Amino acid sequence: MKKNAVIAITNQKGGVGKSTFTVLLASLLHYRMGRRVLVADCDYPQWSIHDQRKRELELMDRTDYYKLMMMRQWKTCGQKIWPVVACKATEAVETVERFLAQDPTPFDYVLFDLPGTAATAGVLRLVSALEYLFIPMKADKFVMESTITFACMVAETFVPDLHAATRGVHLFWSMIDGRERTGLYDQYGDVLESFSLPVMQTRIPLRSRFNKELIAGGGPVYRSTLYPADKAFVSESRLDALAQEICSVIESR
């Protein structure tokens, strides 16, 4: 996987949207920004991304609205739908390497969706194979304690290890509630700085539409594996800024 940027949007605390961000960013990078993307869904046994793809393909098969949308998308960007492979963490690296070996066209990004706990067999080995980890966090005491513990473990264990692929850990704020006092984020920022954990500039606001999948009647696209999210939603939710910042981190290496 040396020719690809191997990354994950991950956290070892549930409820921060790691799988949701993986889908949204994969579709934005692939369909709108011209990067060829492969997603490895390692969150066994639920495999939520893989299952969403199956639901969407079934919906498209019986809905002319989405068939027409797919035809227009192909004419616009010339990209087939990004592939997703489902596997356990213990076999993820080998599964992805076999997939890449069978496709002569190189992928720009390989995104892994990791299980929700580092205690799952194979997760730490998989983390060591990732070049960059982008960790969503929200201003919640339990989430922040778990996030800092996980981020420090990766930064202190894998980044200095010459045998690991890991080059960096980057945290970003998600689920920003406009009613929350800004001083709280400044306090957390001081804590993160004390641990030398880099925080990205982009902050993602709290939006219920992050979890909305395609509906039978058609309408705006939000979270989808087949199509990029609605342009106005992408801009308003700052997903475009996040994708650009991630590309900047990786492609400036």
Side-chain angles (χ1 to χ4, degrees):
M1 293 188 286
K2 295 183 182 300
K3 295 182 180 180
N4 319 98
V6 184
I7 68 175
I9 312 295
T10 189
N11 197 319
Q12 295 301 287
K13 186 67 176 176
V16 295
K18 65 181 185 65
S19 297
T20 293
F21 279 120
T22 299
V23 170
L24 288 165
L25 288 167
S27 294
L28 185 56
L29 289 167
H30 189 79
Y31 301 126
R32 285 236 171 92
M33 298 176 65
R35 272 70 165 186
R36 197 160 184 249
V37 172
L38 166 66
V39 172
D41 187 350
C42 312
D43 198 6
Y44 172 84
Q46 52 263 38
W47 283 329
S48 59
I49 296 176
H50 183 263
D51 285 352
Q52 180 178 348
R53 168 61 60 79
K54 289 172 60 178
R55 290 193 301 273
E56 290 185 317
L57 288 174
E58 291 170 357
L59 179 60
M60 185 178 69
D61 188 55
R62 63 177 187 268
T63 310
D64 290 340
Y65 178 90
Y66 291 120
K67 290 178 183 176
L68 180 59
M69 184 183 292
M70 181 60 67
M71 291 174 60
R72 288 173 175 168
Q73 178 168 283
W74 168 254
K75 290 180 180 179
T76 300
C77 72
Q79 291 272 47
K80 297 180 180 178
I81 59 175
W82 48 260
V84 54
V85 294
C87 51
K88 295 181 180 179
T90 51
E91 57 197 35
V93 173
E94 292 76 15
T95 299
V96 167
E97 286 179 340
R98 285 195 299 270
F99 187 95
L100 294 174
Q102 294 171 2
D103 196 317
T105 307
F107 286 84
D108 299 298
Y109 289 89
V110 180
L111 277 71
F112 285 84
D113 188 39
L114 274 60
T117 172
T120 302
V123 167
L124 293 182
R125 174 175 175 262
L126 179 52
V127 168
S128 73
L130 301 173
E131 291 179 291
Y132 294 94
L133 283 78
F134 297 94
I135 303 178
M137 55 185 175
K138 65 178 181 179
D140 174 273
K141 181 177 184 295
F142 295 114
V143 170
M144 291 305 299
E145 288 178 351
S146 176
T147 298
I148 291 172
T149 299
F150 176 63
C152 285
M153 182 274 292
V154 175
E156 295 170 4
T157 303
F158 295 112
V159 174
D161 187 349
L162 297 179
H163 299 289
T166 315
R167 299 185 180 189
V169 179
H170 298 265
L171 290 77
F172 66 93
W173 287 111
S174 67
M175 301 184 183
I176 298 287
D177 189 339
R179 298 167 298 180
E180 188 65 77
R181 63 187 190 278
T182 57
L184 180 62
Y185 291 100
D186 293 337
Q187 293 172 18
Y188 278 128
D190 292 339
V191 173
L192 294 167
E193 185 177 359
S194 72
F195 285 102
S196 299
L197 293 172
V199 179
M200 301 174 72
Q201 293 183 358
T202 306
R203 295 185 174 191
I204 306 298
L206 177 66
R207 295 292 183 268
S208 61
R209 289 174 292 178
F210 279 134
N211 295 320
K212 289 189 176 181
E213 297 187 21
L214 301 181
I215 58 176
V221 174
Y222 299 111
R223 187 184 69 188
S224 172
T225 70
L226 300 182
Y227 313 98
D230 174 77
K231 287 184 178 180
F233 172 67
V234 167
S235 177
E236 181 265 340
S237 61
R238 304 281 292 155
L239 286 169
D240 51 352
L242 180 63
Q244 290 287 358
E245 191 170 359
I246 287 175
C247 288
S248 177
V249 168
I250 295 170
E251 295 171 11
S252 63
R253 59 185 176 176

